[in-house]
Amino acid sequence: EREREESRTRDMAAALGIPKEYGYVVLVLLSYIFLNFWMSFQVGKARKKYQVFYPTLYAIKSENKDAKLFNCVQRGHQNSLEMMPVFFATLLVGGLQLPVIAAGLGAVYTVARFFYFKGYASGVPENRLRIGGINFLALFGLIILTAAFAVSLILDVNMQSRSSS
């Protein structure tokens, strides 16, 4: 039964044109999801520590002496959430053509995002860019990978339509 299920999964991936290495892309996606959960927990801990209660999104300095410390933790997570759709889209789409490269760039992005968050959460916003700034290079690589995939699809369609004419 297990062999039949594995065969069905392989057949479906092949029918969709998904290379088996795309599994690495999916693993990187999952690792970022776990990172996001971890960052969420860090914000929750900071809420308790700095007494910033829901639904307050950011602390106000005149009301909370630790406003900057909390806001740095919150902002590190918030920025990661803001970038997540671009990361997910470029990782998943760019990975269809070059999954190993996409997974590598995605892994670099994920690790760099961890350091971005840790640097921001230190209370010194500039610290987010020390190692964490590498995330922008990895994301740029994923954008290029996705654009290259788009171009190859367009050129392939044009080639097919010319040869069938």
Side-chain angles (χ1 to χ4, degrees):
E1 181 62 33
R2 184 170 180 217
E3 287 179 24
R4 188 180 310 149
E5 184 61 34
E6 288 174 359
S7 176
R8 191 177 5 219
T9 301
R10 275 193 308 275
D11 291 346
M12 186 170 51
L16 294 172
I18 298 173
K20 67 178 181 175
E21 295 85 4
Y22 197 75
Y24 298 123
V25 171
V26 176
L27 287 175
V28 169
L29 179 82
L30 288 171
S31 71
Y32 193 86
I33 290 169
F34 285 117
L35 175 63
N36 183 56
F37 282 140
W38 177 80
M39 287 186 283
S40 297
F41 290 126
Q42 301 312 302
V43 173
K45 285 171 40 180
R47 282 188 177 283
K48 286 181 184 171
K49 181 177 180 179
Y50 301 121
Q51 309 248 318
V52 180
F53 304 108
Y54 289 110
T56 304
L57 190 58
Y58 291 102
I60 301 168
K61 192 172 187 166
S62 63
E63 298 174 7
N64 186 322
K65 66 179 178 50
D66 296 317
K68 182 178 180 185
L69 293 171
F70 171 76
N71 290 343
C72 283
V73 174
Q74 171 71 346
R75 189 70 202 121
H77 182 231
Q78 188 71 37
N79 183 263
S80 294
L81 289 171
E82 293 163 3
M83 299 301 291
M84 195 166 30
V86 175
F87 172 56
F88 281 5
T90 56
L91 175 68
L92 293 172
V93 174
L96 288 170
Q97 185 176 41
L98 296 169
V100 174
I101 294 172
L105 289 167
V108 169
Y109 180 86
T110 301
V111 170
R113 268 286 153 178
F114 168 80
F115 286 106
Y116 184 94
F117 177 84
K118 290 293 281 183
Y120 222 147
S122 72
V124 181
E126 296 77 25
N127 288 349
R128 73 192 190 282
L129 299 175
R130 282 200 178 137
I131 298 171
I134 295 169
N135 82 86
F136 297 111
L137 294 173
L139 188 60
F140 187 64
L142 286 168
I143 291 168
I144 291 170
L145 209 62
T146 303
F149 180 48
V151 168
S152 72
L153 285 173
I154 292 166
L155 292 177
D156 189 42
V157 168
N158 286 338
M159 292 295 209
Q160 286 178 4
S161 66
R162 283 187 200 142
S163 61
S164 64
S165 301

